[in-house]
Amino acid sequence: MGGELGDMLNQNEIQPQFREEVKSLRIPQFFLQSVPDLFGGEYELLEPENLSEGFSLSGQDAQVSFELATGEMYQVDIQDEGEAVPKYKRASKRDSDFIRAYLEVMPQEKRVKQCTDIICDQINKNDRYVASEIGDYVHRIIQNMTEDELAAMETAIPTYARKIQEKIKSLERAYREQQFYKWLDSGKIVCRKSYTLPSVITPSQTTDAIPYSLYEAEWDHMNTFEHRVLDVVVSMDNIRWWHRIIENKGLHLNAFINHYPDFMVMTKSGKLVLIEAKGDYLDGDDSKTKLKLGRQWQAQAGRMYRYFMVFEDKDLGMDGAYTLDKFVEVMKEL
């Protein structure tokens, strides 16, 4: 990146001894097989949104927990002059009681419709979903509420809308994951060599104190356990170089989620290893989802690629997950 902005950024190039080999390196990613057109393009890089094809809220689970939703009411004012910045404060007990009393005298059907309309507008601001489906889904949730639950929701609609939106996102993500593995089995999704490492990286914070780094300095955003894993890796005799993958910018395993592993390591035998370092407190379903995806990537990418998830002491009991000491034994053989 040139110009004034480039001068301001902390630019770090690939180390001279690695430039030629990295120039020809193409790391596999997932592609969606499409219908060829006049411009060719038989394959397109897979995006999570591609996997939402056919997703519908009809018949989906409408159970949402609102236990932590607040019932407190807030007053919002916008200044008449100057910048139109909303100012909010907790409404007084008198105002809250007045509005609640007003809502309570409304017919039940009208209250449900009013809340449904407001929540649907908030959830579907970008028109991502079919409006009628969102309306039907939200109505299914609200119509099963008790009088007390409905009264609480009417004074905290943004909170309830957010919880319903989170529920919809979780349903869509589950659908995308199912589609991904289904399309992978059918051959609609394939793994192709694609990603090229940039010649320059510009992370906000860097370190050049760790040997064998691919770049002159690497992104220095690591917790204690990630540092331990990296220290173990660079102490091995078979390591050629390593790179700290920059979250939301570097290589990612593109599927129903975009998964950015922590490290990329090249061994002297030419094997490229992706490593996700997990402290033992991070061994939930998210870890299992990423591990399954990483191992599927390894299987599709070929024999020169590996994916491992490393824990301090926890045994996840899944293929590709290792405690740090077992991981060392495997890495030494690559």
Side-chain angles (χ1 to χ4, degrees):
M1 185 178 292
E4 292 183 8
L5 182 58
D7 293 336
M8 292 167 60
L9 295 172
N10 189 10
Q11 299 193 16
N12 301 280
E13 296 182 355
I14 293 177
Q15 304 259 30
Q17 66 270 32
F18 304 132
R19 285 175 191 167
E20 283 305 310
E21 69 175 86
V22 170
K23 190 183 295 184
S24 60
L25 181 62
R26 299 290 182 273
I27 303 171
Q29 287 184 290
F30 291 110
F31 281 76
L32 185 64
Q33 193 164 13
S34 58
V35 179
D37 55 26
L38 294 174
F39 303 99
E42 187 179 351
Y43 298 95
E44 60 177 296
L45 193 66
L46 179 67
E47 299 289 347
E49 292 74 19
N50 298 139
L51 296 163
S52 290
E53 179 184 316
F55 175 69
S56 172
L57 286 170
S58 178
Q60 295 280 9
D61 169 34
Q63 296 297 316
V64 182
S65 174
F66 296 107
E67 288 181 5
L68 300 179
T70 176
E72 295 177 340
M73 194 178 299
Y74 284 81
Q75 175 183 329
V76 182
D77 294 316
I78 296 180
Q79 299 173 1
D80 293 331
E81 299 177 358
E83 294 185 13
V85 178
K87 306 290 183 183
Y88 68 93
K89 63 180 179 181
R90 187 171 296 167
S92 66
K93 185 178 185 303
R94 178 183 174 184
D95 290 342
S96 297
D97 290 344
F98 174 81
I99 293 172
R100 285 191 177 99
Y102 169 75
L103 293 170
E104 283 172 2
V105 299
M106 274 188 176
Q108 176 81 358
E109 187 177 335
K110 189 173 181 181
R111 291 169 68 189
V112 169
K113 185 179 186 311
Q114 179 177 282
C115 290
T116 300
D117 291 345
I118 296 172
I119 289 174
C120 288
D121 287 343
Q122 293 201 27
I123 291 175
N124 209 21
K125 285 179 180 177
N126 299 323
D127 296 323
R128 278 207 59 217
Y129 307 100
V130 178
S132 59
E133 280 197 6
I134 289 288
D136 290 343
Y137 184 73
V138 174
H139 189 268
R140 281 168 53 205
I141 293 171
I142 294 176
Q143 70 178 0
N144 293 324
M145 287 183 172
T146 64
E147 277 290 324
D148 290 341
E149 289 171 336
L150 185 59
M153 180 184 66
E154 287 168 334
T155 58
I157 282 180
T159 304
Y160 279 70
R162 186 168 62 250
K163 284 185 171 288
I164 294 173
Q165 189 169 34
E166 288 169 359
K167 175 70 173 184
I168 292 172
K169 285 181 178 178
S170 71
L171 292 171
E172 187 173 18
R173 173 172 159 167
Y175 178 84
R176 287 175 175 178
E177 183 174 358
Q178 185 181 39
Q179 284 287 85
F180 173 75
Y181 289 110
K182 177 183 172 184
W183 287 0
L184 202 59
D185 285 341
S186 69
K188 189 172 181 178
I189 291 175
V190 295
C191 203
R192 294 167 58 88
K193 291 185 177 181
S194 165
Y195 184 84
T196 57
L197 286 158
S199 57
V200 175
I201 58 172
T202 56
S204 56
Q205 55 192 100
T206 60
T207 177
D208 59 1
I210 305 173
Y212 307 120
S213 62
L214 177 60
Y215 291 87
E216 294 168 335
E218 294 279 350
W219 188 35
D220 190 19
H221 183 75
M222 291 179 265
N223 59 37
T224 304
F225 183 64
E226 288 166 349
H227 265 293
R228 279 189 60 199
V229 171
L230 184 57
D231 287 342
V232 166
V233 167
V234 298
S235 68
M236 298 180 189
D237 295 333
N238 62 331
I239 301 305
R240 179 157 174 74
W241 53 257
W242 65 272
H243 168 53
R244 171 70 162 122
I245 296 174
I246 302 176
E247 186 81 17
N248 297 324
K249 288 185 179 180
L251 171 73
H252 59 279
L253 303 187
N254 57 316
F256 48 93
I257 56 172
N258 285 330
H259 170 33
Y260 294 80
D262 293 315
F263 303 107
M264 176 190 305
V265 177
M266 179 65 75
T267 66
K268 290 179 179 177
S269 66
K271 292 184 175 65
L272 188 135
V273 184
L274 299 184
I275 302 168
E276 176 75 357
K278 289 285 187 184
D280 288 349
Y281 59 94
L282 296 172
D283 63 344
D285 290 338
D286 183 61
S287 296
K288 293 176 181 178
T289 299
K290 289 179 177 178
L291 176 58
K292 183 180 177 183
L293 171 59
R295 296 298 280 186
Q296 187 63 250
W297 171 84
Q298 172 182 309
Q300 299 291 324
R303 65 184 187 85
M304 300 305 287
Y305 300 91
R306 298 289 188 276
Y307 176 98
F308 300 121
M309 187 170 282
V310 184
F311 293 87
E312 192 161 13
D313 300 303
K314 193 83 172 179
D315 183 3
L316 199 61
M318 290 180 66
D319 182 39
Y322 293 96
T323 57
L324 187 54
D325 56 339
K326 297 293 184 183
F327 167 71
V328 171
E329 295 175 10
V330 173
M331 278 296 295
K332 284 181 178 179
E333 299 297 322
L334 295 178

